[in-house]
Amino acid sequence: MKKYKRYLITSALPYANGPLHIGHLAGVYVPSDIFTRYLRMKGEDVISICGSDEHGVPITLKARNEGVTPQEIVDRYHEINKKAFMEFGIAFDIYSRTSNKIHYETASDFFLNLYNKGEFTEKVSEQYYDEEASTFLADRYIMGTCPRCGNESAYGDQCEKCGTSLSPSDLINPHSTISGSKPVLRETLHWYLPLDKYEPWLKKWILEQHKEWKTNVYGQCKSWLDQGLQPRAVSRDLDWGVPVPVKNAKGKVLYVWFDAPIGYISATKELTPDWEKYWKDKETKMIHFIGKDNIVFHCIIFPAMLKAEGSFILPDNVPANEFLNLEGDKISTSRNWAVWLHEYLADFPGKQDVLRYSLCASAPETKDNDFTWKEFQARNNNELVAILGNFVNRTLVLTKNYYDGKVPERGRTTPEDDGVLSEILKIRQNVETSLESYRFREALKEAMNLARLGNKYLADSEPWKVIKTDQERVKTILNIALQITANLTIILEPFLPFSMQKLRSWINFSEVKWDQAGETHLLMPGHIINKPGLLFEKIEDEEISRQVDKLLASKKSNEPAGTAAITAKNPVSFDDFTKIDIRTATVLEAEKVPKTTKLLRLKIDTGIDIRTIVSGIAEYFEPQDMIGKQISIVANLESRTIKGIESKGMILMAEDKNGKLVLVSPLEKVSNGSMIK
Ligand SMILES: [Zn+2]
């Protein structure tokens, strides 16, 4: 791995029109914080940059809805979010904001630099204009009837009822949300960044030189590049944002996607007069932590901007995460389907590390993942309490009881002792390897292996029994357990900073240098251990049910509007669609899978063969009712072994919003194996 002189870590600027939830933490800020803490402990020169993204249409809309100024909106959420980050120990060196003067200057200069070099193209286009309010209308300011589902409150960019993506000209009876009048088309001038010009370079830079990027990131970039890049407007007609700094640009601001990433640069300027070495020296490694919705901006557009400017370095990696869902459903601000950080802190005071742990352990690193309160409870009770907390507590309490809190001498060690001691360094190395390849879940699991090692060591060597027969041996055992404890405070520090600080204060240990991890004499004989407390507490069922009830209440309050179908999925190509072999088949035999409640084993005739499919439908269908039915199946799904039975394919069902399942069958009988297309 190439050695760099310094690191520049950026974390996606959260949008200042609402509070933060667990999806934000899991996707971006917990991983970026772990990585930053790790580098700091290694003594690297690292700065971690973040701030509020305070421009763009949703903020002006929210302000209009509340009857306040956009500035009031961003002031409110900047403070709330800054505080939430601080309370969760997210260790930015600066949390800036894009409404700062330094950002206006930096973004203006950046635009002018590209403008003077002739990097932009100018284009006149027709856009909707509100003649009563004398203003151009962003897509979100235009509402009308959806041509697809008839929803009368569809926006100019999307119908939220059927999920169709729209443009304002698609709407039936469009009207301005500002004055209610019918918008007219008017010509307007904008500046465009010709991304097509950078396409060959981007292809080489990403597709050839950054094959090590995460597959979800690389894949999304490839798909954008394969489709071909188009020039993209960098300005908008809006009165909130950084004004376009040229003549004939009255009423125009920099488009928020252009101004927001420059926010990283202005925040660095605000942090240090030495900012240029972080942004312009090839010896700096820049890493962008973001969520998947930001991949195109950080991997394609921002690099093209930096390249066009010419004096900046490019990101070395962009370890974007997928999305975190909540209890099986997409996190949604408008439906209040979220766990808000400020509410979590009020409900679980002092338990920041439990959430950090739980979110890292189930982080959506390679695919969307689900947060459930049950799993949160299990992670706390079965891992933090039962493994880490238990080990530390036993070690410290026994030391207190047997040796009055003084670290005992280590005598002759057994081969088992030596094995345990040498394992510490290996664990450290595993954690390093995982962290440096941005695999944080794996890194956390490896780090917890040290607690598992300690817990098992105590359980196997049973000092509480041995004390009756061999007091010298117990000294050695506890000395080793204490060395593991000290090592834990180093190796787990990036993940659980609050708890490890607490633990260090109990063992009177102040070192947190990463390179000390693996050493087996961190606590010398005679070193005093303070009176320990409890590192983690059990979380009871009632606390979990309270959270689940809160979510169910949100769901219920949304129900009147909840008759809408689930939003449409992302488009797939026709080629991708035709890869799926969907055909008709007839059920020949059906029986319940023994010792299960949900599974049916079905023998079906697919027209090409007779095969077995195991399906989770037993709660909805009696076996005898299935026999003879003509159904639809996915015939080329990879086979899976379920309860020891090989299942080849999947039966298609329609599922309504209450989870009720209905068979999808042809309306008339057709021959088995008829293709569905
Ligand atoms: Zn619609």
Side-chain angles (χ1 to χ4, degrees):
M1 201 178 212
K2 188 178 172 236
K3 185 86 183 111
Y4 287 84
K5 264 196 189 151
R6 66 189 78 77
Y7 291 80
L8 170 60
I9 313 282
T10 74
S11 306
L13 307 184
Y15 201 57
N17 76 334
L20 296 163
H21 55 63
I22 54 169
H24 295 112
L25 270 197
V28 180
Y29 306 101
V30 164
S32 102
D33 186 62
I34 292 169
F35 196 68
T36 305
R37 284 174 182 271
Y38 165 69
L39 292 175
R40 284 194 192 132
M41 287 170 73
K42 285 186 72 169
E44 300 287 355
D45 178 355
V46 51
I47 53 171
S48 173
I49 300 294
C50 196
S52 295
D53 175 3
E54 304 192 326
H55 294 137
V57 171
I59 284 169
T60 61
L61 264 179
K62 192 174 180 87
R64 184 173 290 275
N65 288 341
E66 292 190 15
V68 297
T69 62
Q71 190 65 48
E72 282 175 79
I73 297 287
V74 301
D75 286 349
R76 184 196 309 160
Y77 290 109
H78 176 73
E79 284 312 317
I80 291 177
N81 293 342
K82 187 177 179 181
K83 185 157 166 268
F85 281 134
M86 217 166 67
E87 285 175 327
F88 276 93
I90 308 296
F92 303 129
D93 288 287
I94 183 164
Y95 190 72
S96 185
R97 51 195 306 192
T98 60
S99 63
N100 275 350
K101 186 162 171 278
I102 195 165
H103 176 69
Y104 272 64
E105 288 165 4
T106 308
S108 280
D109 288 350
F110 200 105
F111 179 94
L112 270 182
N113 182 310
L114 265 54
Y115 179 85
N116 290 333
K117 282 193 200 168
E119 285 288 344
F120 296 127
T121 49
E122 293 183 6
K123 205 170 91 186
V124 173
S125 63
E126 286 198 317
Q127 273 176 30
Y128 277 108
Y129 186 83
D130 181 331
E131 287 178 313
E132 272 180 43
S134 308
T135 179
F136 279 99
L137 296 168
D139 295 349
R140 282 263 143 177
Y141 277 110
I142 303 170
M143 283 177 102
T145 303
C146 170
R148 181 156 156 196
C149 74
N151 167 27
E152 288 177 8
S153 319
Y155 288 106
D157 57 350
Q158 197 193 25
C159 168
E160 291 192 339
K161 193 164 175 196
C162 70
T164 306
S165 135
L166 300 167
S167 72
S169 54
D170 297 333
L171 292 175
I172 302 161
N173 297 325
H175 62 270
S176 159
T177 60
I178 299 175
S179 68
S181 67
K182 189 175 168 12
V184 296
L185 283 169
R186 205 180 254 205
E187 288 194 334
T188 178
L189 172 73
H190 283 291
W191 292 266
Y192 289 75
L193 183 66
L195 287 174
D196 43 333
K197 181 177 142 186
Y198 293 95
E199 193 180 300
W201 167 73
L202 283 163
K203 277 189 169 153
K204 187 158 190 266
W205 177 61
I206 299 174
L207 303 182
E208 289 172 32
Q209 294 168 5
H210 283 294
K211 292 195 175 164
E212 83 285 7
W213 284 5
K214 288 173 63 174
T215 46
N216 58 326
V217 177
Y218 187 92
Q220 214 189 95
C221 291
K222 185 168 184 321
S223 141
W224 279 91
L225 290 166
D226 287 349
Q227 283 170 42
L229 301 177
Q230 303 297 323
R232 205 169 164 120
V234 303
S235 54
R236 299 213 83 178
D237 292 292
L238 196 70
D239 57 4
W240 176 246
V242 179
V244 174
V246 295
K247 271 187 257 160
N248 67 354
K250 199 167 170 293
K252 295 175 199 293
V253 296
L254 300 183
Y255 210 158
V256 65
W257 66 256
F258 184 84
D259 113 67
I262 297 173
Y264 299 137
I265 303 172
S266 21
T268 316
K269 275 189 185 173
E270 193 182 332
L271 175 69
T272 167
D274 250 356
W275 70 274
E276 276 180 300
K277 74 175 186 193
Y278 290 98
W279 278 97
K280 299 191 171 179
D281 181 354
K282 296 255 181 296
E283 304 272 344
T284 299
K285 181 165 174 169
M286 171 156 74
I287 301 144
H288 296 312
F289 283 88
I290 56 167
K292 72 169 163 189
D293 50 338
N294 267 320
I295 290 175
V296 66
F297 298 108
H298 287 76
C299 298
I300 291 184
I301 299 177
F302 189 43
M305 289 162 60
L306 295 172
K307 177 83 175 165
E309 200 279 348
S311 69
F312 287 92
I313 55 164
L314 298 166
D316 179 77
N317 210 319
V318 186
N321 273 340
E322 299 290 292
F323 284 154
L324 185 75
N325 295 325
L326 171 60
E327 301 280 357
D329 202 352
K330 220 178 147 188
I331 293 179
S332 156
T333 304
S334 57
R335 288 184 293 120
N336 196 26
W337 190 258
V339 177
W340 304 104
L341 299 190
H342 59 279
E343 291 189 5
Y344 174 89
L345 284 170
D347 292 349
F348 296 97
K351 291 193 167 42
Q352 286 94 323
D353 275 351
V354 180
L355 189 62
R356 286 176 63 115
Y357 180 85
S358 179
L359 293 177
C360 182
S362 53
E365 283 183 1
T366 50
K367 58 177 175 52
D368 288 358
N369 212 351
D370 204 29
F371 175 92
T372 68
W373 280 110
K374 271 277 162 226
E375 189 185 328
F376 166 85
Q377 183 189 28
R379 295 261 183 220
N380 180 76
N381 293 357
N382 307 342
E383 297 175 23
L384 291 177
V385 174
I387 298 169
L388 176 56
N390 185 49
F391 165 68
V392 166
N393 190 257
R394 276 177 162 179
T395 302
L396 300 190
V397 168
L398 292 179
T399 305
K400 194 95 209 152
N401 292 350
Y402 299 163
Y403 310 112
D404 199 22
K406 286 201 189 87
V407 176
E409 295 267 359
R410 188 186 311 167
R412 265 243 313 269
T413 55
T414 65
E416 288 74 30
D417 295 341
D418 296 335
V420 165
L421 287 169
S422 63
E423 192 63 24
I424 304 175
L425 186 60
K426 281 186 214 148
I427 289 175
R428 166 189 151 180
Q429 287 159 347
N430 292 343
V431 175
E432 283 173 4
T433 308
S434 304
L435 283 179
E436 286 172 15
S437 19
Y438 311 105
R439 294 194 299 263
F440 297 96
R441 288 169 75 144
E442 187 183 276
L444 177 59
K445 203 166 161 202
E446 286 294 343
M448 275 300 278
N449 280 342
L450 184 55
R452 288 192 179 90
L453 178 78
N455 215 27
K456 182 167 185 310
Y457 178 64
L458 282 189
D460 290 349
S461 53
E462 299 182 304
W464 47 87
K465 280 191 188 160
V466 178
I467 191 79
K468 291 165 202 151
T469 55
D470 187 349
Q471 304 213 352
E472 284 307 305
R473 173 71 193 138
V474 172
K475 288 183 185 170
T476 300
I477 296 170
L478 281 176
N479 178 292
I480 291 173
L482 285 162
Q483 306 308 330
I484 295 175
T485 306
N487 271 286
L488 277 172
T489 70
I490 302 174
I491 289 177
L492 280 172
E493 162 73 20
F495 307 93
L496 304 171
F498 297 94
S499 316
M500 291 308 109
Q501 192 184 18
K502 209 190 271 178
L503 181 50
R504 275 195 300 277
S505 77
W506 294 342
I507 63 172
N508 262 319
F509 182 64
S510 54
E511 297 294 334
V512 276
K513 290 200 187 88
W514 185 264
D515 289 342
Q516 285 191 307
E519 283 182 23
T520 56
H521 292 281
L522 291 173
L523 301 177
M524 300 310 279
H527 177 96
I528 306 278
I529 304 291
N530 295 328
K531 192 176 181 322
L534 271 185
L535 208 47
F536 299 98
E537 297 163 340
K538 209 170 161 222
I539 293 176
E540 301 297 338
D541 290 346
E542 300 87 78
E543 293 176 78
I544 294 304
S545 347
R546 212 174 304 138
Q547 295 300 327
V548 172
D549 289 347
K550 199 154 130 186
L551 283 172
L552 289 178
S554 286
K555 185 159 256 179
K556 218 166 187 122
S557 73
N558 280 308
E559 252 165 23
T563 49
I566 294 165
T567 310
K569 293 181 184 174
N570 291 333
V572 295
S573 70
F574 186 75
D575 280 346
D576 281 345
F577 170 71
T578 55
K579 286 178 197 156
I580 304 174
D581 184 333
I582 310 177
R583 59 176 69 217
T584 57
T586 297
V587 179
L588 303 176
E589 295 172 25
E591 58 174 354
K592 276 205 167 174
V593 177
K595 292 183 196 147
T596 69
T597 52
K598 292 185 178 164
L599 298 180
L600 285 188
R601 177 220 292 259
L602 304 149
K603 188 171 268 185
I604 62 165
D605 180 358
T606 66
I608 36 172
D609 57 16
I610 309 284
R611 60 169 80 180
T612 300
I613 293 183
V614 176
S615 185
I617 56 174
E619 285 171 310
Y620 293 91
F621 300 95
E622 289 301 327
Q624 63 272 21
D625 293 337
M626 290 294 293
I627 296 168
K629 282 246 161 64
Q630 193 160 50
I631 55 174
S632 311
I633 61 160
V634 177
N636 64 340
L637 195 67
E638 283 176 337
S639 68
R640 287 174 60 198
T641 303
I642 303 169
K643 294 277 167 197
I645 307 164
E646 197 193 8
S647 174
K648 294 172 75 178
M650 187 175 76
I651 295 175
L652 294 179
M653 296 275 163
E655 182 180 5
D656 76 5
K657 70 184 170 79
N658 300 316
K660 188 184 159 200
L661 296 176
V662 180
L663 278 171
V664 176
S665 303
L667 285 174
E668 287 172 38
K669 197 146 178 88
V670 291
S671 57
N672 287 329
S674 298
M675 300 305 292
I676 297 175
K677 49 193 183 179

